[in-house]
């Protein structure tokens, strides 16, 4: 839940809802959040890349406390199934780690990322590359469905959806 996650990470501000296409929009190659200019699309994508790169560089021990953010299927548009799964966790410093499973290739790759606590935005990569950077609001990651952006370089951004996969053990 947001109160648990915000408290764990030391975020005391009210949650920020990153609803891409509604509260975050693009007009004339500029990104706006609730009507406030956030820069060009290139600058916005670079901010996400910088944040993800910060997470890649963070030394995070498996011995420290980690909280699961969840397991999510990645879908686009009206897709009803997905072969792409993220398992994400966060530490108190806002470092993100996890795994990405590609069902078509039957491969699992580590995920590296970070959270900007002031902006309440998370950005992560699959492996330590920078060719695809995933971005979502940290509050949104506490919901069952979470809109996200995928920045493919600085000139292409796709809007996608992360759909929480219920933990069957927790339901029993």
């Amino acid at each position: 839940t947001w109160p648990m996650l915000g408290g764990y990470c030391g975020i005391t501000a009210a949650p920020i809802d990153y609803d891409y296409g509604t509260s975050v929009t693009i007009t004339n190659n500029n990104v706006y959040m609730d009507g406030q200019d956030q820069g060009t699309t290139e600058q916005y994508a670079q901010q996400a890349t910088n944040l993800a790169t910060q997470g890649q560089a963070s030394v995070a021990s498996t011995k420290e406390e980690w909280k699961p953010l969840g397991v999510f299927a990645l879908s686009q548009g009206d897709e009803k199934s997905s072969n792409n799964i993220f398992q994400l966790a966060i530490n108190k410093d806002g470092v993100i780690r996890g795994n990405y499973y590609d069902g078509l290739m039957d491969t699992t790759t580590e995920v590296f990322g970070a959270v900007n606590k002031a902006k309440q935005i998370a950005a992560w990569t699959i492996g330590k590359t920078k060719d695809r950077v995933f971005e979502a609001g940290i509050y949104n990651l506490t919901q069952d469905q979470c809109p996200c952006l995928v920045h493919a370089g600085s000139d292409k951004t796709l809007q996608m959806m992360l759909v929480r996969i219920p933990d069957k053990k927790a339901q029993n």
Side-chain angles (χ1 to χ4, degrees), residues 14-34:
I16 299 173
D17 185 4
Y18 282 83
D19 188 358
Y20 301 106
T22 304
S23 63
V24 180
T25 58
I26 297 174
T27 304
N28 296 326
N29 203 37
N30 281 337
V31 178
Y32 295 89
M33 174 131 184
D34 296 325

Side-chain angles (χ1 to χ4, degrees), residues 69-151:
L69 290 170
V71 178
F72 301 91
L74 179 68
S75 66
Q76 186 174 11
D78 294 331
E79 290 179 351
K80 300 293 182 206
S81 64
S82 175
N83 293 310
N84 304 300
I85 307 292
F86 281 106
Q87 178 183 22
L88 302 174
I90 188 169
N91 71 8
K92 288 183 178 189
D93 295 327
V95 175
I96 293 175
R97 290 292 186 267
N99 293 300
Y100 168 76
Y101 175 72
D102 181 332
L104 290 177
M105 301 300 291
D106 193 25
T107 58
T108 301
T109 309
E110 282 186 275
V111 169
F112 299 90
V115 171
N116 177 320
K117 292 180 184 183
K119 292 186 176 185
Q120 298 180 25
I121 192 90
W124 65 92
T125 58
I126 299 169
K128 288 196 173 183
T129 65
K130 298 178 191 170
D131 61 338
R132 284 183 298 165
V133 177
F134 297 80
E135 169 190 323
I138 192 70
Y139 162 75
N140 300 86
L141 287 168
T142 66
Q143 306 302 304
D144 288 339
Q145 292 189 8
C146 172
C148 70
L149 294 180
V150 182
H151 302 285

Side-chain angles (χ1 to χ4, degrees), residues 41-53:
T41 53
E42 292 82 12
Q43 291 168 328
Y44 193 79
Q46 188 60 51
Q47 289 174 19
T49 300
N50 293 346
L51 184 57
T53 301

